[in-house]
Amino acid sequence: MRPGGDFFNFYNHELVRVGVAVPAVRVADPAFNAQQISGLIAQAAERRAIAVLFPELCLSAYSCEDLFHQGALLEEVRSALREILDASRAQPVVAVVGVPLVVDHLLYNCAVVLCRGQVLGVVPKTYLPNYREFYERRQFTSGDAAVSDTIECGGQPDVPFGSDLLFQLEQQPLATFHVEICEDLWVPVPPSSEAALAGATVLLNPSASNVTVAKADYRRLLVASQSARCLAAYLYSGAGYGESTTDLAWDGHAVIYENGDLLAESGRFSYEPQLVCAEIDLERLAQERMRQTSFGQAAERHRERLRRFRRVRVPLPLPQRGRLLPERRYERFPYVPSDSERRDARCAEVYEIQVQGLVKRLQFAGLQHVVIGVSGGLDSTHALLVSAQAMDVLRYPRSHVLAYTMPGFATSRRTLDQAHRLMRALGAKAHEVDIRPSALRMLADIGHPFSRGEKVYDVTFENVQAGERTSHLFRLANLHQALVVGTGDLSELALGWCTYGVGDHMSHYAVNASVPKTLIQHLIRWLAQTGRLGTPASEVLLEILGTEISPELVPGDAEESQPAQQTEAVVGPFELQDFNLYYTLRFGYPPPKVAFLAYCAWRERYGIETIKAYLGLFLDRFFRTSQFKRSAIPNAPKVGSGGSLSPRGDYRAPSDSEAAAWLRALALIPERE
């Protein structure tokens, strides 16, 4: 977060709002077109955007053909450009406008980058299409032919000219723009690839790509791929209504992508001007580039060419004062797609990853049986489902799943019943082992007060039960030549909510270890709703989803319709802690940024004071108290790009680090709105 900035303003959290505009145009009428462009620049300023992109040659219209060689048109273009510059003086926006310009007696297809009455730079198009319906080389010259690197433009001398320009905001250095024009993106090595390696985070493409059947899908694919490959944002604005339809048609397609993700898209075939805005997360792009070291290797390989890029400073003040929340939607459950179709596909893929991991491990070990503890709660339920599916894949009977429910001192009637019904519904070989006698013996051996009848329910009391369960499972695996399947999930590992060593921390293979709690809930619901395991199984799965999340280790006076002990009362709501985990682990965001995004997503349910409190709890547990457990976890398949916590995979950290830096940053979050 920027020092002294308003917490509730996204510009203070390394986000910027940008826009893509599709103006109404008239062919060869620059005066009219200038008015339309100026109006949209003003609209972008009203939307508090700092940059707006217009289509290729929009000041004249792209489809002028040989009219581009008429002196009257080119003179009026120059006059109209000055009108835009005058109109932009009061607008704190960087605008990129497509303009035909004569430089050293040659005509170039250009993008003029302007801000508050000043021309910051001019970028000529590099690749001129001359095939099928295109014949730009008839009118224009490639930017590669340019001799001058500065020109006069808009009545201003010494304006930087070339395709090697990077435009960097003085108040936000992470916002560095590069412009390439239409066909430049269609070639095998677009100019924006080198620009990204040279530091550009926001790539802009003024285009006049005409529309043909299915071309919009190809554009989306092209822009998405380039933004992902370059770890950048990519803005694309295409010519729309008003261009000549002598032989072509135009759909006014404009999109904004960020690292492969679509943030905003215009309507196509609109008869009205359009302005579409979205917020770009510059910190996400910077973090991805730092983390993906092959990006740096590519920069090293091309460093001689990258040194040729010129930086143009943009003295644009950012709207950092006052409350300003993003229009961009942040999903409450970042591990779970909100769209039902994508969510079902995600659940199916996660399930198959888990099943395949277990199948491979069983085949390699030469084992045909698994041992699993079934509590009647979420995690063991899903691990049991994965185990049953693995037996189906291996063509073993599901009775090879040796399932044990092990009631302790706090097991509720509800969860015990759910465990038995689920084991029966899945066809597992069901057993019940009461751990209370062995746990009581352990408590007596170590002199715990509970063994003398005292109601002391401390950590030792809890961990003795967890340890007895795990000890039984491993010895049962020895007895039956089986593999112990772990049930703990990613959320619990992040918060250190597991009993170390001889406890639920340990297993032979942990199928849930990179699946967060919120995703496990959706996986179980998906399996229940699809009915793929049968009606009896679906019925009990839905009941399990309605059960309080609990380790069931501490007895209570509550009714047995729900467990007496509630996990979320100790570690916080998993829906919020999974959100904190995602943005801390996946992107490395500082606490104020995580809290701001959580507020944007969850403010209808949680106030900033609650978000701050649970984030503080998460940070202390994640960074200070829990890493030693994660440094010694069993093998498990990585499931999602949100990360795993395996020391052999995604996350390597010291077991004795402090959380002081994160907790000091936490202090920057306000206590109230």
Side-chain angles (χ1 to χ4, degrees):
M1 179 178 168
R2 292 173 173 266
D6 189 326
F7 176 84
F8 296 100
N9 184 313
F10 65 77
Y11 278 103
N12 294 313
H13 296 282
E14 318 298 355
L15 287 95
V16 294
R17 182 174 290 163
V18 296
V20 285
V22 182
V25 298
R26 290 180 182 172
V27 178
D29 191 350
F32 172 84
N33 298 337
Q35 291 179 354
Q36 301 298 309
I37 293 167
S38 297
L40 287 168
I41 292 174
Q43 287 185 35
E46 291 175 6
R47 295 277 297 275
R48 311 293 286 278
I50 54 130
V52 59
L53 173 68
F54 291 89
E56 181 180 12
L57 295 172
C58 59
L59 190 52
S60 57
Y62 174 82
S63 50
C64 288
E65 302 187 74
D66 284 353
L67 298 183
F68 283 122
H69 288 165
Q70 292 290 319
L73 176 62
L74 295 176
E75 178 58 38
E76 186 149 331
V77 164
R78 289 190 287 270
S79 176
L81 178 58
R82 286 191 290 270
E83 292 176 11
I84 293 174
L85 290 170
D86 289 340
S88 72
R89 293 185 190 281
Q91 311 298 350
V93 178
V94 176
V96 180
V97 181
V99 182
L101 289 178
V102 176
V103 177
D104 297 332
H105 310 293
L106 301 176
L107 183 63
Y108 293 93
N109 178 342
C110 296
V112 174
V113 182
L114 58 95
C115 182
R116 297 197 297 180
Q118 297 294 314
V119 178
L120 301 175
V122 177
V123 179
K125 187 172 183 177
T126 300
Y127 295 97
L128 304 177
N130 226 58
Y131 55 89
R132 293 183 179 170
E133 64 263 43
F134 305 108
Y135 44 90
E136 284 187 34
R137 292 183 71 89
R138 178 181 175 93
Q139 289 100 23
F140 296 100
T141 300
S142 166
D144 285 343
V147 175
S148 301
D149 57 10
T150 62
I151 62 171
E152 181 279 331
C153 182
Q156 301 168 26
D158 301 321
V159 173
F161 178 71
S163 60
D164 57 349
L165 302 180
L166 302 179
F167 302 88
Q168 187 174 49
L169 268 62
E170 290 182 351
Q171 287 195 11
Q172 177 49 279
L174 292 179
T176 302
F177 303 101
H178 176 266
V179 182
E180 63 185 4
I181 302 174
C182 198
E183 186 76 8
D184 292 346
L185 176 60
W186 262 255
V187 300
V189 184
S192 59
S193 296
E194 288 188 345
L197 293 174
T201 53
V202 184
L203 312 175
L204 303 102
N205 189 319
S207 178
S209 170
N210 64 300
V211 62
T212 54
V213 172
K215 194 171 186 180
D217 292 335
Y218 184 72
R219 287 194 205 106
R220 294 186 191 99
L221 177 63
L222 203 61
V223 175
S225 299
Q226 185 66 356
S227 73
R229 187 179 301 109
C230 292
L231 300 176
Y234 203 105
L235 281 62
Y236 176 98
S237 180
Y241 182 70
E243 289 283 358
S244 172
T245 56
T246 301
D247 290 299
L248 302 174
W250 318 85
D251 60 348
H253 194 195
V255 294
I256 301 174
Y257 277 83
E258 177 189 283
N259 194 19
D261 296 331
L262 177 64
L263 300 184
E265 184 171 17
S266 69
R268 296 174 58 218
F269 300 105
S270 173
Y271 290 87
E272 300 297 329
Q274 295 187 79
L275 173 65
V276 177
C277 294
E279 291 80 32
I280 296 169
D281 192 336
L282 299 169
E283 188 169 12
R284 175 193 181 190
L285 302 174
Q287 286 277 359
E288 293 284 34
R289 291 181 176 188
M290 178 179 66
R291 191 171 280 109
Q292 188 171 310
T293 54
S294 54
F295 186 89
Q297 292 174 20
E300 180 181 5
R301 185 181 183 92
H302 297 279
R303 62 186 179 277
E304 293 304 322
R305 290 183 61 84
L306 304 185
R307 287 174 180 151
R308 301 174 189 174
F309 278 88
R310 295 174 283 164
R311 289 183 182 267
V312 179
R313 300 294 177 181
V314 182
L316 178 68
L318 300 179
Q320 295 170 301
R321 297 296 180 186
R323 181 184 175 96
L324 187 59
L325 298 181
E327 297 174 358
R328 177 174 178 169
R329 179 183 178 185
Y330 284 91
E331 299 289 352
R332 288 182 169 184
F333 301 98
Y335 292 101
V336 184
S338 58
D339 176 75
S340 60
E341 186 173 335
R342 288 182 58 231
R343 184 169 59 247
D344 289 349
R346 176 73 55 83
C347 288
E349 188 172 24
V350 168
Y351 189 54
E352 291 300 332
I353 291 171
Q354 294 177 276
V355 170
Q356 187 186 81
L358 182 56
V359 166
K360 166 64 178 178
R361 184 51 53 97
L362 286 168
Q363 285 182 325
F364 179 78
L367 300 174
Q368 297 185 10
H369 296 80
V370 298
V371 165
I372 183 170
V374 182
S375 69
L378 290 171
D379 293 342
S380 65
T381 290
H382 186 59
L384 180 59
L385 298 174
V386 170
S387 300
Q389 185 68 48
M391 293 303 159
D392 292 348
V393 172
L394 290 166
R395 301 184 186 279
Y396 300 151
R398 288 187 182 176
S399 58
H400 281 209
V401 177
L402 310 179
Y404 293 83
T405 187
M406 294 176 282
F409 299 114
T411 301
S412 66
R413 186 178 301 125
R414 173 175 180 149
T415 55
L416 185 61
D417 175 67
Q418 288 172 174
H420 277 290
R421 288 167 58 203
L422 182 63
M423 292 187 292
R424 288 197 304 270
L426 293 177
K429 193 169 185 179
H431 306 80
E432 179 177 324
V433 175
D434 188 342
I435 64 160
R436 285 172 292 187
S438 59
L440 192 59
R441 177 59 184 267
M442 171 70 78
L443 291 166
D445 287 346
I446 66 176
H448 192 275
F450 182 82
S451 66
R452 299 190 297 271
E454 299 179 33
K455 294 183 178 181
V456 177
Y457 307 134
D458 56 8
V459 172
T460 304
F461 176 79
E462 294 189 50
N463 285 351
V464 162
Q465 296 174 78
E468 283 300 306
R469 288 185 173 122
T470 301
S471 180
H472 276 75
L473 292 174
F474 272 98
R475 302 298 72 81
L476 286 164
N478 293 153
L479 181 64
H480 297 290
Q481 293 185 307
L483 178 147
V484 176
V485 174
T487 61
D489 63 44
L490 180 68
S491 308
E492 293 180 343
L493 281 172
L495 294 161
W497 190 249
C498 56
T499 300
Y500 184 79
V502 185
D504 54 323
H505 168 263
M506 192 48 60
S507 64
H508 287 127
Y509 196 71
V511 294
N512 290 341
S514 69
V515 187
K517 187 80 74 177
T518 49
L519 181 53
I520 281 180
Q521 290 171 320
H522 282 84
L523 283 161
I524 293 173
R525 182 172 290 107
W526 168 73
L527 286 165
Q529 292 174 344
T530 56
R532 61 192 294 170
L533 299 170
T535 300
S538 293
E539 289 174 352
V540 68
L541 290 177
L542 293 174
E543 289 183 26
I544 290 169
L545 287 169
T547 305
E548 286 282 357
I549 299 171
S550 172
E552 292 197 305
L553 297 171
V554 175
D557 298 326
E559 296 181 6
E560 289 191 346
S561 60
Q562 289 284 3
Q565 189 181 16
Q566 297 181 4
T567 298
E568 291 177 304
V570 180
V571 299
F574 280 111
E575 61 187 12
L576 202 53
Q577 299 298 36
D578 278 0
F579 189 97
N580 294 334
L581 172 62
Y582 181 82
Y583 285 103
T584 300
L585 179 64
R586 176 67 179 83
F587 296 116
Y589 287 164
K593 175 78 167 276
V594 176
F596 177 73
L597 298 183
Y599 176 79
C600 293
W602 285 102
R603 64 184 182 273
E604 294 179 2
R605 183 174 302 183
Y606 300 108
I608 191 62
E609 66 282 355
T610 303
I611 290 171
K612 180 178 181 179
Y614 285 129
L615 178 57
L617 177 65
F618 171 84
L619 294 172
D620 188 57
R621 295 187 71 106
F622 183 81
F623 287 107
R624 187 178 66 86
T625 68
S626 304
Q627 181 56 36
F628 78 99
K629 296 180 180 180
R630 299 190 289 264
S631 294
I633 60 175
N635 293 174
K638 179 180 175 180
V639 167
S641 62
S644 80
L645 291 170
S646 168
R648 300 168 299 276
D650 252 13
Y651 190 73
R652 297 166 179 83
S655 295
D656 47 10
S657 70
E658 300 292 340
W662 290 268
L663 295 176
R664 280 193 289 269
L666 188 75
L668 298 173
I669 304 169
E671 296 290 344
R672 61 188 61 85
E673 292 188 44

